[in-house]
Amino acid sequence: MKKFLNDPVQFVDEMLGGVLAAHPEQLSTCAGNIRNIVRTHKKEKVALVTGGGSGHLPLFMGYVGEGMLDGCAVGGVFQSPSSEQIYEITKSVDSGSGVIYIYGNYSGDIMNFEMSGEMAEFDSIRTAHVVGNDDVASAPKGEEHKRRGVAGIFYIYKTAGAAATQGASFDEVLRVAEKAKSRTRTIGVALSPCIIPEVGKPSFQINDGEMEIGMGIHGEPGIIRTNLQTADEVVDQMVGKILDDIEMSAGSEVSVLVNGLGATPKEELYIIYRRVAEILKEKSIKVFHVYVGEYATSMEMTGFSISLCLLDDELKKLLAFPYKTPFFEQGALL
């Protein structure tokens, strides 16, 4: 293992210490726990809270900020945060309008967010759950409830965050979040494993010259392991699987997210997007907004994912709404 760190046991807390020191005007903590991240300035609105394991920056904490989320419970590397963390954050960010939980479809996260919601009920805090499940490789069509949540959760954060910031009601924000979820699909590919600092060795093996399509962000098995192919050949397979899963006709409009998994140069991500754009143009599918970069990583894993979000006029307006977090900024907030 070759990493820039001190004690592997302190990896998460020292990372959080650096983020908080760099961005005190935007991020703070609550209940005396450095792993309970909240916005420095509380807003009177429907609150949005996420959470999950470390090792995926900017997911999950990187989306706390203006126009996005209000709090994030941070777990250990690839480990769920506790229900107590989520509960303390819920109490901290609630302004009386309720709290919507947005998180990925992983058993530990589901259990702990549900426990937090039950505890919040005793404090008369209204909660609801939106569970991201955009990974088309993790379960067949018709069994979407079994799918993992990966980079496409960004679209739920973005649209629900915009709706909440503009003063939408609890039910309206929840509707928007579920709508974005239902219209988003993702698939990934990996060329190399990653190393959890406390483990000190790769979490799985991929031979030189091989790739795996459909691999999850924790190293969960994919659907195709094959010899390394050209960028265009890989993209053709991945986009094909997304378009087979969600109906898009000529004239449909989408947003595209090409996400690096941690060790893929941005130059390569743009080579990927070039082919995505060609495929969509061939099918007369319009592109409204493109995101290229690191949005949900897996430590130093080499690979990328492609997400498509099928838009309508409402989602387009919400996607265009300004936001500002320590990791991202779009437009100017009033």
Side-chain angles (χ1 to χ4, degrees):
M1 179 174 70
K2 296 175 70 176
K3 292 181 180 291
F4 293 105
L5 47 74
N6 298 306
D7 180 354
V9 174
Q10 299 301 318
F11 177 80
V12 173
D13 291 345
E14 290 188 348
M15 173 273 295
L16 290 170
V19 171
L20 290 164
H23 306 286
E25 75 288 353
Q26 294 188 64
L27 300 181
S28 185
T29 63
C30 69
N33 189 338
I34 195 172
R35 298 191 179 192
N36 294 352
I37 302 298
V38 296
R39 289 170 59 172
T40 298
H41 304 291
K42 184 174 178 177
K43 300 295 182 181
E44 300 292 319
K45 66 179 190 65
V46 176
L48 305 179
V49 170
T50 192
S54 297
H56 302 301
L57 275 180
L59 198 68
F60 298 84
M61 176 184 56
Y63 297 101
V64 176
E66 292 283 336
M68 279 272 203
L69 309 179
D70 300 279
C72 175
V74 180
V77 177
F78 297 179
Q79 298 173 7
S80 298
S82 69
S83 57
E84 289 78 12
Q85 285 179 259
I86 301 165
Y87 172 56
E88 293 295 345
I89 293 168
T90 300
K91 292 190 294 181
S92 177
V93 302
D94 177 54
S95 63
S97 298
V99 179
I100 296 177
Y101 296 143
I102 305 172
Y103 53 94
N105 193 18
Y106 301 95
S107 57
D109 295 334
I110 292 170
M111 178 181 69
N112 289 328
F113 272 98
E114 287 181 346
M115 290 176 62
S116 173
E118 291 171 1
M119 290 187 283
E121 286 183 12
F122 288 106
D123 293 326
S124 298
I125 300 174
R126 183 183 180 187
T127 63
H129 302 254
V130 180
V131 183
N133 62 345
D134 50 304
D135 184 1
V136 300
S138 52
K141 192 170 183 177
E143 297 183 19
E144 287 83 358
H145 64 286
K146 297 180 180 179
R147 290 178 173 176
R148 300 181 292 252
V150 284
I153 200 171
F154 163 80
Y155 287 110
I156 308 176
Y157 293 159
K158 178 69 194 73
T159 54
T165 301
Q166 294 178 84
S169 69
F170 186 96
D171 289 335
E172 279 295 293
V173 176
L174 182 60
R175 179 189 63 79
V176 164
E178 289 287 357
K179 182 179 185 177
K181 167 185 167 178
S182 71
R183 288 167 165 257
T184 301
R185 302 289 188 279
T186 301
I187 188 168
V189 61
L191 302 183
S192 73
C194 58
I195 298 174
I196 297 173
E198 288 189 62
V199 176
K201 60 182 180 179
S203 53
F204 58 90
Q205 294 291 334
I206 296 182
N207 294 328
D208 290 343
E210 286 187 339
M211 66 179 197
E212 187 158 344
I213 294 177
M215 180 166 283
I217 58 174
H218 306 104
E220 298 94 338
I223 53 176
I224 302 171
R225 181 172 285 207
T226 183
N227 291 334
L228 182 61
Q229 300 173 15
T230 68
D232 285 2
E233 289 171 334
V234 177
V235 172
D236 287 351
Q237 293 180 66
M238 294 171 70
V239 174
K241 291 189 178 300
I242 290 176
L243 295 179
D244 285 344
D245 199 85
I246 184 169
E247 185 176 346
M248 294 188 192
S249 57
S252 295
E253 200 159 4
V254 299
S255 175
V256 181
L257 169 61
V258 177
N259 167 64
L261 291 176
T264 304
K266 209 161 188 179
E267 289 87 345
E268 294 178 26
L269 298 181
Y270 276 104
I271 290 173
I272 298 305
Y273 178 70
R274 163 194 155 275
R275 181 55 184 157
V276 174
E278 289 176 351
I279 295 171
L280 296 178
K281 185 176 181 180
E282 289 166 4
K283 296 183 177 297
S284 299
I285 297 173
K286 303 175 184 177
V287 177
F288 172 71
H289 205 303
V290 179
Y291 300 91
V292 178
E294 292 185 344
Y295 289 77
T297 63
S298 184
M299 298 297 290
E300 72 273 46
M301 186 183 289
T302 305
F304 66 90
S305 63
I306 299 170
S307 302
L308 298 183
C309 180
L310 179 61
L311 302 175
D312 61 7
D313 288 343
E314 178 184 42
L315 292 180
K316 284 172 62 177
K317 290 178 182 177
L318 294 170
L319 210 57
F321 190 77
Y323 65 98
K324 182 178 181 180
T325 81
F327 291 78
F328 302 106
E329 186 170 354
Q330 173 180 295
L333 287 152
L334 298 178

